[in-house]
Amino acid sequence: MKICFISDHPFSERDGNYYSGGGVPADMLYRYVRENSQLIVVGRRTEKQNKTLSSITNSTFHLLENYSKPWDLYLKRGRIKKEFYEVIKQADGVVLRVPSGFAKIVLPICRELEIPCAIEVCGSAFDSLWNYGSLAGKLLAPFSERSCKETVKEADYVLYVSQRDLQEEYPHKEGAVTVACSNVALDSDIKRDVIEERLRKIDEHLGNSYTIGQIGNLAVKYKGYSVTLKALKIVNAAGYDVRYEIVGGGDANEVIKEAKKLKIEEKVVIRGRMKHEEIPMFLQDIDIYVHPSFQEGVPRVVVEAMSYAVPCIASKAGGTGELLPEEWIHKPGDYRKLAADILRMLGDKRRLKDAATANFEKAREYYPDVLNTRRTNYYDLFFKNISSHDRKKNI
């Protein structure tokens, strides 16, 4: 059996292996293989030296040379469609991750070749282009949104990474096999003493000095660093001494420049990249985790923070609104609400403790055993359908 996994994620090649920027790690790709099966991974080629290994046993990668910008799908559509056709006809089944500009190309080819296709809905198509950072992205956003809606509506198998938000935005057709299963999975079950230590820390806190934290690539503007900086200025002006620590790679110049413009640069600490095993200590050290993103699916970093009983405040982007109570959610870009939420938390230990407890309990839904069972059952049905499917062989 050959499965073709398709996303518009950029991959780089080095010494015969393929690497992603973190969005498609090797352990994730094992979801799409069973005994003696082969995996064909389709994505974009990038010259950046990505660091996360994506290659797995019995996998091959096909990286598109003609596609690097969203508008290439319109300017080079014929060539891209032909390339997809040649790859997909080798497969017995296709897994297509959306949002992706490939959606309106891939599904019709699967229909023509009678190849079963499963869709994974991982975020908002509109938001992904609207926040791309260019006028062309904003112009293409409505078309991408419509394309994604139509693709999901036509699919026979649909996996949503949210519990409700993406289901409402991209409804499936009647009779489709569906599952709500986040692509966020914690590495392991978190020990109970985490919540006990957080509550003790809140009780013993003295003074008005606090640390808020955020994790993400600093070069990605849609993560909302500027929103946090504006909120930070308001919070400190209210009499608190709050430091903002950011963990992540990427060029920090824009963040530093904005902090200097707001005259709060001494309150901002760029921690840079951290090893994965160092993240728990960072999360346990901060007082509040903030995530004012403009675009998300269901953010792993928020779930991780919740699993370590960190009080969290986030925007409503993507499925983030499902993770936290409404009172700790703001509209993307609303720095005034973010500032008000931080102030309400810092001014009330009971609120901090309630948020910590609620987050810790909610994070249990993202323990590996819960999600892996749900996802495996879904894909077992899909692969069973592939095995019994009589598709066109004379291509």
Side-chain angles (χ1 to χ4, degrees):
M1 181 190 298
K2 286 186 178 181
I3 301 298
C4 187
F5 172 79
I6 301 172
S7 77
D8 58 7
H9 194 87
F11 297 89
S12 61
E13 181 184 2
R14 190 166 64 253
D15 299 327
N17 286 317
Y18 292 85
Y19 297 81
S20 79
V24 187
D27 59 353
M28 188 208 79
L29 290 177
Y30 279 110
R31 300 171 183 172
Y32 312 114
V33 297
R34 294 297 186 269
E35 187 177 359
N36 299 322
S37 64
Q38 296 178 312
L39 184 67
I40 306 170
V41 180
V42 181
R44 294 187 287 124
R45 183 180 295 278
T46 179
E47 297 305 317
K48 293 181 180 179
Q49 291 300 304
N50 292 331
K51 299 183 182 299
T52 301
L53 180 67
S54 298
S55 295
I56 63 173
T57 305
N58 292 332
S59 68
T60 58
F61 283 69
H62 184 96
L63 305 184
L64 301 178
E65 307 286 353
N66 293 315
Y67 174 65
S68 60
K69 305 294 183 183
W71 47 88
D72 285 340
L73 288 166
Y74 299 89
L75 300 177
K76 305 174 183 178
R77 189 176 185 85
R79 278 181 285 175
I80 294 173
K81 183 177 180 180
K82 182 178 180 181
E83 194 170 357
F84 265 118
Y85 190 94
E86 294 301 315
V87 176
I88 292 173
K89 74 178 185 180
Q90 305 173 44
D92 298 296
V94 171
V95 176
L96 171 63
R97 178 168 285 189
V98 297
S100 169
F102 301 153
K104 291 299 284 184
I105 296 176
V106 170
L107 194 57
I109 293 175
C110 290
R111 295 284 194 217
E112 179 183 345
L113 299 177
E114 298 183 3
I115 297 176
C117 180
I119 305 293
E120 291 189 351
V121 186
C122 299
S124 167
F126 183 88
D127 289 348
S128 66
L129 278 178
W130 187 261
N131 298 300
Y132 184 77
S134 70
L135 177 60
K138 286 180 168 54
L139 292 174
L140 292 174
F143 299 98
S144 179
E145 175 77 351
R146 184 177 65 184
S147 173
C148 191
K149 286 180 181 291
E150 292 173 351
T151 298
V152 173
K153 193 70 174 178
E154 295 173 15
D156 296 316
Y157 289 81
V158 186
L159 180 150
Y160 297 92
V161 301
S162 65
Q163 295 297 317
R164 66 170 188 274
D165 288 357
L166 293 173
Q167 286 87 332
E168 294 174 359
E169 188 173 357
Y170 303 102
H172 57 80
K173 69 179 180 182
E174 185 177 354
V177 178
T178 68
V179 67
C181 186
S182 175
N183 56 359
V184 171
L186 300 173
D187 291 334
S188 61
D189 294 355
I190 308 299
K191 294 181 179 179
R192 187 75 199 180
D193 58 5
V194 165
I195 181 64
E196 295 168 358
E197 176 62 23
R198 173 62 59 175
L199 297 179
R200 183 193 63 77
K201 179 181 179 180
I202 293 171
D203 274 334
E204 295 179 358
H205 188 93
L206 299 174
N208 66 347
S209 295
Y210 294 88
T211 300
I212 62 175
Q214 187 172 354
I215 300 172
N217 189 321
L218 284 109
V220 179
K221 293 183 179 180
Y222 66 70
K223 291 300 181 182
Y225 302 111
S226 63
V227 180
T228 305
L229 290 171
K230 291 174 184 175
L232 182 66
K233 185 176 179 65
I234 294 173
V235 170
N236 281 310
Y240 285 94
D241 177 18
V242 178
R243 184 170 62 178
Y244 175 33
E245 296 191 3
I246 308 173
V247 169
D251 189 346
N253 286 336
E254 286 297 317
V255 173
I256 295 171
K257 182 179 178 181
E258 179 74 9
K260 288 181 177 178
K261 181 180 177 182
L262 294 170
K263 299 181 179 180
I264 56 171
E265 64 270 25
E266 75 281 357
K267 301 295 184 182
V268 179
V269 179
I270 307 298
R271 299 284 296 272
R273 293 183 184 274
M274 276 188 181
K275 295 179 180 178
H276 186 67
E277 58 268 24
E278 296 174 326
I279 295 298
M281 184 61 69
F282 168 75
L283 292 173
Q284 291 173 65
D285 284 345
I286 63 177
D287 297 294
I288 297 175
Y289 184 82
V290 294
H291 200 78
S293 184
F294 288 88
Q295 172 196 333
E296 286 296 345
V298 175
R300 177 190 175 95
V301 289
V302 175
V303 177
E304 280 194 301
M306 294 168 64
S307 73
Y308 283 96
V310 185
C312 298
I313 302 172
S315 75
K316 195 175 174 61
T320 314
E322 298 178 357
L323 299 175
L324 304 172
E326 188 68 28
E327 64 175 319
W328 305 123
I329 293 291
H330 59 270
K331 292 181 180 179
D334 189 350
Y335 68 91
R336 296 185 186 279
K337 173 65 162 55
L338 174 57
D341 288 347
I342 294 172
L343 288 170
R344 282 193 302 121
M345 268 197 181
L346 297 184
D348 191 330
K349 287 188 177 183
R350 173 47 54 191
R351 282 197 174 110
L352 284 168
K353 293 170 73 172
D354 287 348
T357 303
N359 289 353
F360 182 79
E361 295 301 327
K362 179 69 175 179
R364 290 176 178 272
E365 297 176 14
Y366 297 87
Y367 282 173
D369 57 340
V370 176
L371 294 180
N372 288 343
T373 299
R374 192 180 303 167
R375 185 184 299 109
T376 298
N377 290 341
Y378 168 80
Y379 274 112
D380 280 349
L381 283 174
F382 179 59
F383 294 139
K384 183 178 180 180
N385 178 42
I386 293 173
S387 298
S388 62
H389 193 73
D390 182 19
R391 73 179 184 89
K392 292 179 181 177
K393 299 292 184 181
N394 216 356
I395 300 171

